Structures are given as C-alpha cells and as structure tokens.
Amino acid sequence: KIFKHDKMLRKNIRLRKEYLFKKEKELKERATNEKKLLLKKAIDEGKAVPFSIKKDAAELKHQLENDDGNVDKGVDGTIVLRSHIDDEYEEAKYKDPKVMITTSRDPSSRLMQFQKEMRLIIPNAVRVNRGSYVLKGLVKICQDNDFSDIII
C-alpha cells in the first residue's frame, strides 16, 4: 500500500535527481560552448587554434557548422548560453499546465468577479476559495494535486 507521503518523497527524490542531472548537463554544455567560442574567435581572426582545445578542434568545428539552427542567439548575434532555470515550462510541450487561481482571504465582490474571469481566460485553470489557508498551505495543496502554477 502506497501512502501519499511516500509518493511525495519519491517525487522529491526524482525532482532532485532531475535537477542534478540538468545542472551537470548544463555545466558540460557551458564548457563545450566556451570551447566553441574560442575556436570561432580563432577562426574569425585567422589565428591558430588555442592549444587547450587543439585536441577537440575537429569535432568542435563540426558542431559549430551544425549549430546554426539549434543555438539561441542574442540581439547582437552572439551565442546565448541557456540555464536549466530558464526551462521552467519545458515540460509544457508534453502536458498542459494546470493553474490554481485564488484570492486574498477576504475578497471583495469585484475581486471574486475578476477571479471568475481569469478562470475563463486561462485554460486548465481551477478556482479555489482561499478561506483561512496560508501561502504554505496553498503551495502544499498545489503540490498534492499536481498544479503547475498558482495565481493569487
């Protein structure tokens, strides 16, 4: 028999593992991108390839040629390194976000009307009466019911 507490522990462990995996992957990509930038700079300036990346130069050059559509570019055309923190909604392409909408503890009638309109505007939104819940309790409800976002 699996209890809700055990599910949450497993979920937290899985989330920690995913975080560590993404962080390690990001560090590797950052190191590779720094090497690519060094190689690109050397090629653009017509200088010799730096000794520190000479061993990987052929593979890096191949990656540079193939990265044209897969790299985020800044306003000035430079390569922008992305962080795992930037991917808050990365899984949105796999499942729709589930949004919880609530108000202050003692909402006015205008605020209740606004909350109802927000629920109609936002897809997969659920309106919840706050009652006497504190923020920590609301977050716990969101975690238990698989909400991706909360709007207060």
Side-chain angles (χ1 to χ4, degrees):
K1 195 173 190 181
I2 299 175
F3 295 103
K4 202 178 240 185
H5 181 68
D6 293 339
K7 280 186 190 177
M8 288 304 293
L9 285 176
R10 277 191 256 142
K11 182 179 179 183
N12 287 339
I13 290 170
R14 180 182 49 81
L15 290 173
R16 279 190 212 115
K17 285 181 180 179
E18 286 177 5
Y19 171 80
L20 292 173
F21 175 76
K22 286 180 182 179
K23 187 75 172 166
E24 182 180 347
K25 184 178 173 185
E26 178 186 332
L27 290 173
K28 286 179 183 177
E29 287 177 359
R30 185 176 299 265
T32 303
N33 284 336
E34 287 174 1
K35 288 179 182 178
K36 285 180 193 177
L37 289 173
L38 281 173
L39 180 65
K40 185 172 174 29
K41 185 177 177 182
I43 290 172
D44 290 345
E45 294 175 356
K47 294 183 179 179
V49 177
F51 183 74
S52 60
I53 62 170
K54 196 168 261 192
K55 182 173 65 173
D56 302 325
E59 182 182 340
L60 290 171
K61 187 174 182 181
H62 180 70
Q63 288 178 1
L64 267 175
E65 292 169 356
N66 293 331
D67 274 350
D68 291 339
N70 299 331
V71 177
D72 292 337
K73 303 270 185 182
V75 175
D76 57 352
T78 58
I79 295 174
V80 177
L81 300 178
R82 292 191 65 201
S83 169
H84 68 283
I85 296 171
D86 297 334
D87 293 336
E88 179 180 354
Y89 294 103
E90 180 182 28
E91 69 178 37
K93 56 188 162 189
Y94 305 116
K95 67 176 190 175
D96 291 333
K98 189 175 174 186
V99 181
M100 178 174 132
I101 301 176
T102 188
T103 62
S104 60
R105 287 195 177 133
D106 187 22
S108 65
S109 60
R110 290 177 64 199
L111 183 58
M112 291 296 288
Q113 184 63 36
F114 178 72
Q115 179 188 27
K116 289 176 185 175
E117 290 174 11
M118 289 295 290
R119 185 186 60 78
L120 294 173
I121 292 171
I122 300 171
N124 292 338
V126 176
R127 188 176 66 85
V128 176
N129 289 331
R130 180 161 178 185
S132 62
Y133 286 113
V134 293
L135 186 59
K136 198 180 265 190
L138 289 171
V139 170
K140 182 77 173 139
I141 290 170
C142 286
Q143 289 173 341
D144 290 345
N145 293 306
D146 239 4
F147 284 98
S148 61
D149 299 290
I150 181 171
I151 298 175
I152 298 178

